[in-house]
């Protein structure tokens, strides 16, 4: 095992514990993955709690999903692989069942191409447009194709009645983007039906120019 792989295994443990302590993960819900330099993927094992990961037991799989080392991977690893397939710059993927983000994913949306308003500059910078991927039952491999299609043009998405999937140039970036998404979802519900002032199209365009994803 290379030093880089060991460091990334330790990083998964650290961020998993942080997400669990911040109540963005619960039970055995949610999974994290990172891509190694050789193209193989480290992903949290099936039925594991993000709050109690063991670096040595984290799954290592090929880009096609074959187990190379560690415990059997998360049953949701297949949609992590779909993201990596179409986003060559993605080095990590975070999937959570965080409360407010999941709540947004359960709502009816007239426009499923972007289901949260640009309430803050940080949401625009770290999340951007947030499409809603149609519902598929857990384990349904058709979800991989739906995620793959959304990931071609978005690094963040919501799975309907399920939760967020966010890719990043590092695990830290993906985790921070997931946290920003959850905070924006929380603001969305706190504001409710009261008059609000999301960022204008001009403001969003300026942010995207100065801080390109």
């Amino acid at each position: 095992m290379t030093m880089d792989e060991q460091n990334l295994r330790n990083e998964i443990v650290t961020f998993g514990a942080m997400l669990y302590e911040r109540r963005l993960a619960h039970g055995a819900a949610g999974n994290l993955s990172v891509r190694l330099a050789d193209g193989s993927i480290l992903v949290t094992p099936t039925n594991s709690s993000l709050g109690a990961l063991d670096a040595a037991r984290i799954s290592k799989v090929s880009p096609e999903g074959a187990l190379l080392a560690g415990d059997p991977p998360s049953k949701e690893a297949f949609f992590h692989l779909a993201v990596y397939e179409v986003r060559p710059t993605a080095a990590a993927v975070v999937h959570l069942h965080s409360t407010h983000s999941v709540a947004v994913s359960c709502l009816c949306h007239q426009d499923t191409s972007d289901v949260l308003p640009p309430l803050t500059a940080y949401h625009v910078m770290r999340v951007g447009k947030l499409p809603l991927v149609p519902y598929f039952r857990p384990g349904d491999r058709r979800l991989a194709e739906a995620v793959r299609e959304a990931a071609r043009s978005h690094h963040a998405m919501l799975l309907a009645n399920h939760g967020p999937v966010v890719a990043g140039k590092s695990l830290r970036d993906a985790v921070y983007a997931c946290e920003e998404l959850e905070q924006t979802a929380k603001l969305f519900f706190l504001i409710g039906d009261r008059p609000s002032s999301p960022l204008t199209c001009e403001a969003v365009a300026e942010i995207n120019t100065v801080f390109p994803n």
Side-chain angles (χ1 to χ4, degrees):
M1 183 186 301
T2 66
M3 184 62 69
D4 180 59
E5 179 178 336
Q6 186 59 57
N7 289 339
L8 288 172
R9 285 175 175 272
N10 293 338
E11 194 171 71
I12 289 173
V13 172
T14 298
F15 279 109
M18 185 187 80
L19 290 167
Y20 195 85
E21 289 166 5
R22 294 180 180 178
R23 299 186 178 182
L24 295 174
H26 59 274
N31 27 81
L32 312 177
S33 68
V34 297
R35 176 154 49 186
L36 298 175
D38 65 1
S40 58
I41 311 295
L42 297 178
V43 60
T44 48
T46 187
N47 292 323
S48 60
S49 168
L50 295 188
L53 295 170
D54 180 342
R57 299 180 64 177
I58 289 171
S59 312
K60 182 179 181 180
V61 301
S62 72
E64 297 73 35
L67 182 62
L68 303 175
D71 289 354
S74 166
K75 292 185 288 292
E76 297 180 318
F78 66 93
F79 64 69
H80 288 244
L81 300 180
V83 174
Y84 291 121
E85 182 182 335
V86 296
R87 298 195 69 85
T89 62
V93 175
V94 174
H95 167 56
L96 300 176
H97 297 178
S98 44
T99 303
H100 296 88
S101 299
V102 173
V104 172
S105 82
C106 296
L107 295 176
C108 295
H109 298 275
Q110 289 186 341
D111 180 7
T112 58
S113 68
D114 190 11
V115 294
L116 275 178
L119 295 175
T120 70
Y122 302 98
H123 176 80
V124 175
M125 290 162 56
R126 293 184 175 144
V127 180
K129 286 191 173 183
L130 185 71
L132 183 70
V133 175
Y135 171 78
F136 293 92
R137 66 160 175 78
D140 189 333
R141 294 307 173 108
R142 290 177 298 172
L143 177 58
E145 183 51 43
V147 167
R148 184 181 294 108
E149 188 58 35
R152 293 184 194 280
S153 51
H154 301 86
H155 73 276
M157 66 193 78
L158 270 183
L159 309 183
N161 306 86
H162 191 161
V165 175
V166 178
K169 295 178 181 178
S170 68
L171 184 56
R172 182 183 300 274
D173 284 348
V175 166
Y176 286 178
C178 236
E179 289 187 295
E180 196 65 49
L181 195 165
E182 177 67 8
Q183 288 303 308
T184 304
K186 187 174 182 178
L187 287 172
F188 175 77
F189 287 109
L190 285 171
I191 292 169
D193 294 331
R194 288 184 286 275
S196 61
S197 180
L199 299 181
T200 64
C201 293
E202 292 77 14
V204 170
E206 181 184 17
I207 291 166
N208 287 333
T209 299
V210 177
F211 303 102
N213 286 324

